[in-house]
Amino acid sequence: MDRIEAFLTMGGYGEFIWPAYAVAFAVLAALLAWSLRELRRNERTLRNLQPNGPDGRRE
Amino acid sequence: MFELANPNRFQKFAKRILPWVAGIAVAAMGAGLVIGLFLAPPDYQQGESVRIMYVHVPSAWMALGIYTAIAVASGCFLIWKYPLADVLARAAAPIGAGFTLITLVTGSLWGKPTWGTWWVWDARLTSVLILFFLYLGYIALRNAFEDPTRSAKAAAVLALVGFVNVPIIKWSVDWWHTLHQPASVVRFDGPTIHASMLIPLLLMATGFAAFFTVLLLIRVRSALVARKIRALRLVQAGAGPHIDEA
């Protein structure tokens, strides 16, 4: 228990270290979620525009 | 390299490497987190707070590296009119802004216990804040014009002009008096940081770079799909097949 507590408090710096890691990974996760959602939305729109299959060639 | 300038070939290449890059991102960030948070020693001056370095410094490298890449791609786009260079630059900009935001916030969280303040208007911090605004300005400019070619050109010029800020950031800690510590990894005379801290730092940097690549490939794919949609809509609106690649 003491070791877990020592790890979480980080010698008194826990209140700075944990938010730093949380912000970093929250921003990265948000970028990933946003980019994937945009890709799926665009791919869906493209499929609806091309009823003849997902990779309808048209050149 | 030049073969990849073709969007279709780029897509195939991206699809093949994506799972590998994602694997590297997860493995390197995982190892970097474990070593950085558990195994690396506390600093003899800063104590445990030095662990913020393992997210702060790699984010700052990414913020500068991505801006440099955008400037290079913008140059290629303006000089040789590579359309894919423009797509790459546009796709990279929000990722760079994200890493700059992480740099600013984690730096502030590191500054408070180390310097006693969240923020100072010194050369390093101010120039990184300017980098963040350059990213935001670039993104805003990309969406400012109706005509995508015009906004692409305007944004590319902004990216190139704003590049002056990159060397200013890098050497600001040597040119001006600042609270920020000088470089300890990327120096002409080699790193001055101990291996026990350098290893988790490099692991996190590798993980961030791989994660950036994953995001970039997803965003470029999305942009190419969006371009196809625009072209199809133009054709369907009866504009004829020749206004294809706007």
Side-chain angles (χ1 to χ4, degrees), chain B residues 71-82 85 153 156 160:
Chain B
V72 170
S74 298
C76 291
F77 171 67
L78 286 178
I79 299 168
W80 293 293
K81 314 256 182 301
Y82 286 140
K153 275 188 188 150
L160 282 174

Side-chain angles (χ1 to χ4, degrees), chain B residues 85-149:
Chain B
D86 176 55
V87 173
L88 279 167
R90 183 178 198 177
I95 316 173
F99 276 114
T100 315
L101 182 66
I102 295 173
T103 306
L104 289 167
V105 174
T106 57
S108 190
L109 284 160
W110 196 5
K112 184 63 185 168
T114 313
W115 307 331
T117 176
W118 300 104
W119 184 263
V120 280
W121 290 102
D122 77 355
R124 173 55 76 82
L125 280 70
T126 308
S127 55
V128 174
L129 185 66
I130 290 171
L131 180 71
F132 185 59
F133 289 138
L134 278 169
Y135 273 121
L136 294 186
Y138 179 89
I139 295 166
L141 208 48
R142 299 265 8 184
N143 303 314
F145 298 100
E146 282 281 314
D147 174 9
T149 320

Side-chain angles (χ1 to χ4, degrees), chain A residues 3 6-7 9-51 54-59, chain B residues 8 29 33 36-38 45-55 59 94-95 98-99 101-102 105-106 109-110 112-113 118 204 208 211 214-215 218-219 221-223 225-226 228-229 231-233 235-236 241 244:
Chain A
R3 287 187 57 188
F7 177 64
T9 50
M10 287 269 174
Y13 291 114
E15 57 183 305
F16 302 105
I17 296 174
W18 296 116
Y21 279 79
V23 166
F25 285 94
V27 170
L28 295 184
L31 277 169
L32 182 64
W34 172 50
S35 304
L36 280 175
R37 208 179 58 189
E38 204 179 63
L39 173 64
R40 292 212 188 97
R41 199 182 51 213
N42 284 344
E43 283 184 333
R44 207 179 317 122
T45 312
L46 183 65
R47 266 200 307 276
N48 292 340
L49 282 172
Q50 297 176 310
D55 201 22
R57 293 275 152 163
R58 183 209 54 83
E59 279 185 63
Chain B
N8 278 331
M29 280 197 275
L33 276 179
L37 287 171
F38 292 92
Q45 283 180 330
Q46 302 186 2
E48 303 283 351
S49 73
V50 75
R51 298 188 196 283
I52 294 175
M53 173 174 71
Y54 305 123
V55 281
S59 301
I95 316 173
F99 276 114
L101 182 66
I102 295 173
V105 174
T106 57
L109 284 160
W110 196 5
K112 184 63 185 168
W118 300 104
M204 285 298 270
F208 278 10
F211 192 80
V214 169
L215 286 175
I218 292 171
R219 298 184 61 77
R221 183 176 178 80
S222 185
V225 172
K228 240 183 205 170
I229 294 172
L232 274 176
R233 284 205 171 128
V235 173
Q236 288 183 352
D244 205 337

Side-chain angles (χ1 to χ4, degrees), chain B residues 172-187:
Chain B
S172 57
V173 284
D174 303 322
W175 293 343
W176 289 285
H177 287 289
T178 164
L179 282 179
H180 198 284
Q181 63 193 64
S184 51
V185 179
V186 187
R187 309 165 50 100

Side-chain angles (χ1 to χ4, degrees), chain B residues 196-218:
Chain B
S196 59
M197 293 180 174
L198 184 60
I199 288 168
L201 188 61
L202 292 182
L203 277 169
M204 285 298 270
T206 309
F208 278 10
F211 192 80
F212 160 73
T213 311
V214 169
L215 286 175
L216 186 71
L217 294 178
I218 292 171

